[in-house]
Amino acid sequence: MKFLLPLIAMLVSALCAVPPVAWAEQPIVIKFSHVVALDTPKGKGAEFFAKRAAELTRGAVKVEVYANSTLYRDKDEMEALQLGAVEMLAPSLAKLGPLGVKEFEVFDLPYIFDNTEVLHKVTQGALGVSLLSKLEPKGIKGLAFWDNGFKSFSANRPLRTALDFKGLRMRIQSSKVLESQMRVLGALPQVMAFSDVYQALLTGVVDGTENPHSNLYTQKMYEVQKYMTLTDHGYLGYAVITNKRFWESLPSVVRSQLEQAMKEATVFANKIAQEENDSALARIKEMGKTQVHTPTVAERAELKKVMIKTHSEMASRIGKETIEAIYRETGFDPARL
Ligand code: LMR
């Protein structure tokens, strides 16, 4: 009997070392659904968050990441979040307009951000916090902004001047600003779920699209697009969002631990975004299936002169005050073409 005592003592001390919540209850499960591949800025950011959430909550929370539209596709995911069928998403900012929060389409305005440095003055500052708070009446809690990057155009004809876009059916995200952007170019905008784009390009349902290079590469769009033009004409980023009722139901200590995990994941995702897009572009070039064109100064100026019209066209939809607040914060001058 005596030899059992040390064993019992070890077992008791081992159990005491495990936090009560870890062995007393099942972990809180957060289903995190998104529509891009794992090896993208958002894909890696989600995995990073899942890892840190498990570590910081010491197993009290388990984040299940469902990548590449495996759980929900574009439109379905937003409805699932509001119904509480999924707890976390990171949709493109271009996809929040249909919720009725039209201010988010300001991020789709062509050329509104010169680079990520001025962009972060908005997304990582007070303006970003204010924009995320506009989601709350929709039952959504905005947790963070994550970068992807600046977009290039692709199509099955060379795209060098605005005239080259005339009549092209161009896939876009569900954003009225992106519709306006394509129409001022003379193209025909086609809203479509991200998971359907490859097949639509392959079969000719659409002629072209726009995205940062990490998406164009990981969805193999280089296989079905003969030409790509490195325009950097607009930004694509994400809002990491959760179901507000779920978030507020969490124990406050767990919520704080998840906020810390999200803070770290945001720094990580934004740090890798540029390198992910640069390596994706290098791989597209290596594949040799898409002719990659760098616009000349004159070509850039002409495209900007045409697309900048979207700012005035969409001011009433987005709200002049939102646009002007971003102009002020970033020092953007629409007259400076
Ligand atoms: C798209 O639909 O093109 C993007 O929003 C995909 C993504 O989430 O990066």
Side-chain angles (χ1 to χ4, degrees):
M1 182 58 187
K2 269 193 186 158
F3 78 90
L4 273 178
L5 285 178
L7 277 176
I8 292 167
M10 273 168 59
L11 181 63
V12 169
S13 63
L15 279 177
C16 293
V18 176
V21 75
W23 52 266
E25 299 155 22
Q26 288 302 314
I28 298 166
V29 174
I30 293 179
K31 294 190 289 301
F32 189 153
S33 171
H34 68 76
V35 298
V36 295
L38 282 170
D39 51 341
T40 58
K42 173 161 62 175
K44 292 184 173 179
E47 296 299 324
F48 185 100
F49 172 69
K51 178 173 173 292
R52 288 300 287 145
E55 290 166 354
L56 291 171
T57 64
R58 295 165 68 190
V61 169
K62 179 171 181 279
V63 178
E64 295 173 354
V65 178
Y66 296 89
N68 232 358
S69 304
T70 48
L71 188 62
Y72 290 105
R73 293 153 29 100
D74 271 343
K75 186 176 172 301
D76 310 341
E77 68 174 21
M78 206 66 86
E79 287 160 11
L81 184 83
Q82 289 177 298
L83 292 171
V86 67
E87 287 76 25
M88 200 170 276
L89 305 175
S92 168
L93 298 168
K95 297 176 182 173
L96 297 172
L99 279 177
V101 191
K102 300 168 188 167
E103 295 88 339
F104 277 95
E105 292 185 6
V106 70
F107 290 101
D108 299 327
L109 287 173
Y111 304 102
I112 193 167
F113 301 109
D114 285 342
N115 52 54
T116 42
E117 189 190 347
V118 293
L119 163 84
H120 286 167
K121 287 181 180 175
V122 176
T123 57
Q124 309 305 320
L127 259 179
V129 172
S130 159
L131 282 166
L132 291 178
S133 70
K134 294 176 186 295
L135 295 168
E136 302 207 4
K138 309 294 180 186
I140 293 172
K141 172 75 178 167
L143 299 175
F145 285 95
W146 288 359
D147 289 339
N148 187 330
F150 288 86
K151 300 176 288 188
S152 287
F153 284 118
S154 65
N156 285 319
R157 73 161 81 132
L159 299 173
R160 295 177 178 235
T161 70
L163 212 52
D164 296 330
F165 289 82
K166 192 163 178 49
L168 281 185
R169 291 161 301 172
M170 296 292 281
R171 180 268 172 176
I172 57 168
Q173 304 170 85
S174 53
S175 158
K176 294 297 180 193
V177 169
L178 294 179
E179 274 187 33
S180 165
Q181 169 194 284
M182 293 302 182
R183 291 196 198 289
V184 294
L185 284 167
L188 306 169
Q190 312 261 319
V191 175
M192 185 181 293
F194 185 57
S195 51
D196 296 343
V197 178
Y198 178 89
Q199 192 62 23
L201 291 169
L202 176 70
T203 55
V205 167
V206 289
D207 305 304
T209 188
E210 58 166 11
N211 235 297
H213 308 142
S214 55
N215 280 341
L216 293 170
Y217 175 68
T218 53
Q219 298 297 323
K220 301 188 187 306
M221 293 187 201
Y222 58 84
E223 290 179 351
V224 289
Q225 293 280 261
K226 293 191 180 72
Y227 301 93
M228 201 170 122
T229 303
L230 308 180
T231 44
D232 285 342
H233 62 278
Y235 170 74
L236 190 149
Y238 309 109
V240 188
I241 59 179
T242 185
N243 176 291
K244 186 166 179 287
R245 196 177 322 109
F246 162 76
W247 187 252
E248 290 172 350
S249 73
L250 291 169
S252 57
V253 66
V254 170
R255 203 165 38 238
S256 311
Q257 290 160 342
L258 292 176
E259 282 165 352
Q260 177 58 29
M262 187 54 70
K263 204 177 287 179
E264 293 177 21
T266 300
V267 169
F268 170 78
N270 291 351
K271 185 167 80 62
I272 67 166
Q274 188 58 54
E275 62 199 54
E276 287 290 308
N277 280 300
D278 291 347
S279 65
L281 177 57
R283 291 201 199 112
I284 289 172
K285 289 178 177 175
E286 278 162 25
M287 290 296 169
K289 295 188 176 182
T290 304
Q291 200 176 106
V292 178
H293 173 65
T294 302
T296 63
V297 171
E299 288 170 347
R300 274 187 200 284
E302 191 247 354
L303 284 174
K304 185 170 183 177
K305 190 170 170 39
V306 171
M307 283 193 265
I308 208 82
K309 292 174 199 159
T310 308
H311 288 229
S312 54
E313 282 203 5
M314 300 311 288
S316 57
R317 173 176 171 82
I318 297 167
K320 272 177 76 70
E321 57 287 350
T322 298
I323 297 177
E324 285 167 2
I326 289 192
Y327 284 176
R328 279 195 304 275
E329 188 63 37
T330 59
F332 177 86
D333 175 4
R336 175 178 51 81
L337 284 182

